[in-house]
């Protein structure tokens, strides 16, 4: 009985962190699913309403590192509660606001909350389950594909039935419930009690730079295609099946996380190489699919399988490489991740105008070449065989 109770407590705490990751990703991406209604409700064009995602990413990218430094001595539970409370407030304002400027401020605040939460999630998971850190991070990171494969379609459906504001209202309610869950079920962990290395000096820690470089380029490559996947599918004759394609991607991503979680402690390097190759093969298949639905579905399944575990692998690699400065490394990873997402959206738009949607998979494939080279080269630090 005692052993079962001991195992249940960390799992309950980890699932609370998984829900925090779910809320973070869903809050970021939800405007994409309710964009027409949001645009009409705020009295602006869809392009302007779409900046709700950009402003969120900017809030995260601009504040993750300075806030991580400023709150280094805070207890981890206090900091997590503060970040989730930020989501509750920001989503409530978004639900009630009829003013575009006020809504954009709320979205920026939500992005700031995301920077706080993302910078501590992986480290928190590692400290809750120190004897199986990789699996702990994998459980927490499962919130990402859950948000993309289930949360966005559900939010879009809810917005279609009751209006876009209802979707953000539900997000506020989830955040409030999560605050209670964290308060009751998540054990506290102390902040940093010793002097902290300046953030930029963390770049001199062996292995940190390769992990950050892979993060920047891999996320950029993925985002270029993922942001415009509906456009690509439309050109391939599958415009009416976007929801099904994204469901396949989400289910495959969950499978990828499961595989990574089971083996990351013994084979981080192998898993990172395999993930990169799977996404590369998927890109190649999409590039030559010529409108074949079978090839597209196979490619998307491989893409999801390869990409699903990447956040876990990169968060684990950054924490391992950072060592005593793991929180700094995680904050830098969060910043680069969001910068790459913003850049990927812009680069994809430029690419679409210049070369059309057929260029997206080729771009993804080309960008993965330096990713693979860095992973293979960082054999001793960054991506070793064992985490």
């Amino acid at each position: 009985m005692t052993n079962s109770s001991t195992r249940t407590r960390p799992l309950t705490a980890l699932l609370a962190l998984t829900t925090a990751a779910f809320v973070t990703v869903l809050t970021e991406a939800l405007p994409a699913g309710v964009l027409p209604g949001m645009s009409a409700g705020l009295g602006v064009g869809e392009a302007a309403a779409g900046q709700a995602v950009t402003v969120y990413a900017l809030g995260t990218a601009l504040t993750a590192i300075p806030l991580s430094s400023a709150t280094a001595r805070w207890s981890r539970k206090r900091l997590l509660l503060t970040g989730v409370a930020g989501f509750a407030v920001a989503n409530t304002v978004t639900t009630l606001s009829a003013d575009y400027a006020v809504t954009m401020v709320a979205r920026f605040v939500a992005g700031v909350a995301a920077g706080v939460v993302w910078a501590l999630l992986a480290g928190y998971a590692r400290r809750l389950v120190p004897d199986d850190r990789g699996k702990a991070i994998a459980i927490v990171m499962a919130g990402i594909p859950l948000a993309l494969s289930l949360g966005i379609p559900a939010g879009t459906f809810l917005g279609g039935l009751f209006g876009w504001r209802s979707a953000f209202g539900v997000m506020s309610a989830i955040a409030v419930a999560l605050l209670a869950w964290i308060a009751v079920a998540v054990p506290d962990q102390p902040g940093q009690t010793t002097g902290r290395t300046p953030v930029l000096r963390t770049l001199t820690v062996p292995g940190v730079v390769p992990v950050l470089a892979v993060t920047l380029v891999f996320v950029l490559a993925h985002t270029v295609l993922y942001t415009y996947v509906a456009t690509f599918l439309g050109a391939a004759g599958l415009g009416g099946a976007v929801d099904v394609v994204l469901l396949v991607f989400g289910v495959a991503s969950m499978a990828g996380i499961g595989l990574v979680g089971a083996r990351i402690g013994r084979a981080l390097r192998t898993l990172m190489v395999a993930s990169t190759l799977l996404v590369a093969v998927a890109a190649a298949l999409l590039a030559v699919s010529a409108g074949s639905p079978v090839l597209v579905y196979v490619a998307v399944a491989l893409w999801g399988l390869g990409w699903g575990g990447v956040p876990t692998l990169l968060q684990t690699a950054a924490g391992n490489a950072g060592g005593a400065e793991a929180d700094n490394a995680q904050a830098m990873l969060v910043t680069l991740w969001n910068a790459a997402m913003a850049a990927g959206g812009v680069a994809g738009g430029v690419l679409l105008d210049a070369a059309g949607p057929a260029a997206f998979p080729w771009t993804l494939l080309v960008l993965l070449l330096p990713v693979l080279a860095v992973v293979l080269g960082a054999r001793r630090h960054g991506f070793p065989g064992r985490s």
Side-chain angles (χ1 to χ4, degrees):
M1 185 71 175
T2 302
N3 289 340
S4 175
S5 177
T6 301
R7 287 194 298 269
T8 300
R9 283 197 298 270
L11 180 59
T12 302
L14 288 175
L15 290 177
L17 301 186
T18 303
T19 306
F22 175 88
V23 168
T24 303
V25 173
L26 188 51
T27 299
E28 178 174 24
L30 186 56
V34 296
L35 196 60
M38 193 173 186
S39 166
L42 294 175
V44 297
E46 289 191 12
Q51 298 312 303
V53 177
T54 304
V55 168
Y56 182 105
L58 285 174
T60 303
L62 293 175
T63 62
I65 290 177
L67 280 179
S68 179
S69 296
T71 58
R73 296 181 184 274
W74 287 31
S75 77
R76 300 298 90 182
K77 187 169 183 174
R78 174 190 175 194
L79 189 56
L80 179 60
L81 287 169
T82 300
V84 175
F87 285 123
V89 172
N91 282 324
T92 299
V93 172
T94 303
T95 302
L96 300 176
S97 171
D99 183 83
Y100 178 73
V102 171
T103 301
M104 290 301 106
V105 171
R107 292 293 297 172
F108 186 86
V109 170
V112 173
V116 169
V117 172
W118 274 132
L120 66 83
L121 277 182
Y124 215 148
R126 288 162 62 91
R127 293 165 79 176
L128 287 176
V129 191
D131 57 338
D132 201 347
R133 295 172 175 177
K135 185 174 290 186
I137 295 174
I139 291 172
V140 173
M141 292 300 113
I144 298 175
L146 280 174
L148 296 175
S149 61
L150 300 179
I152 297 300
T156 302
F157 179 73
L158 186 67
L161 284 181
F162 302 107
W164 67 274
R165 297 181 189 280
S166 66
F168 284 98
V170 169
M171 291 302 301
S172 296
I174 292 174
V176 171
L178 180 57
L179 285 171
W181 186 358
I182 293 168
V184 171
V186 179
D188 199 4
Q189 296 288 342
Q192 189 163 331
T193 56
T194 59
R196 192 170 189 183
T197 302
V199 173
L200 292 181
R201 197 180 301 171
T202 304
L203 294 174
T204 65
V205 178
V208 169
V209 169
V211 174
L212 295 179
V214 167
T215 299
L216 179 64
V217 181
F218 207 152
V219 175
L220 173 66
H222 166 79
T223 305
V224 164
L225 179 56
Y226 190 83
T227 301
Y228 296 94
V229 66
T231 304
F232 175 82
L233 292 172
L238 291 170
V242 175
D243 53 348
V244 178
V245 171
L246 290 180
L247 179 61
V248 170
F249 179 87
V251 171
S253 294
M254 291 299 298
I257 283 186
L259 291 171
V260 166
R263 298 193 57 83
I264 191 170
R266 301 181 296 277
L268 186 149
R269 176 184 177 79
T270 300
L271 289 168
M272 194 67 219
V273 171
S275 294
T276 306
L277 290 176
L278 279 171
V279 177
V281 170
L285 287 176
L286 288 174
V288 301
S289 62
S292 167
V294 173
L295 276 182
V296 170
Y297 279 109
V298 170
V300 169
L302 292 176
W303 182 14
L305 187 63
W307 175 257
V310 168
T312 300
L313 290 166
L314 292 175
Q315 292 263 19
T316 302
N320 290 347
E325 301 306 323
D327 287 347
N328 274 345
Q330 296 289 354
M332 296 174 82
L333 184 144
V334 169
T335 297
L336 286 177
W337 189 291
N338 282 273
M341 287 183 64
V346 173
V350 172
L351 194 64
L352 179 62
D353 290 338
F360 290 140
W362 289 112
T363 302
L364 173 56
L365 186 59
V366 169
L367 287 173
L368 287 178
L369 296 177
V371 169
L372 184 60
V374 172
V375 172
L376 292 174
R379 179 179 299 274
R380 184 174 180 185
H381 301 289
F383 298 99
R386 295 179 66 88
S387 62

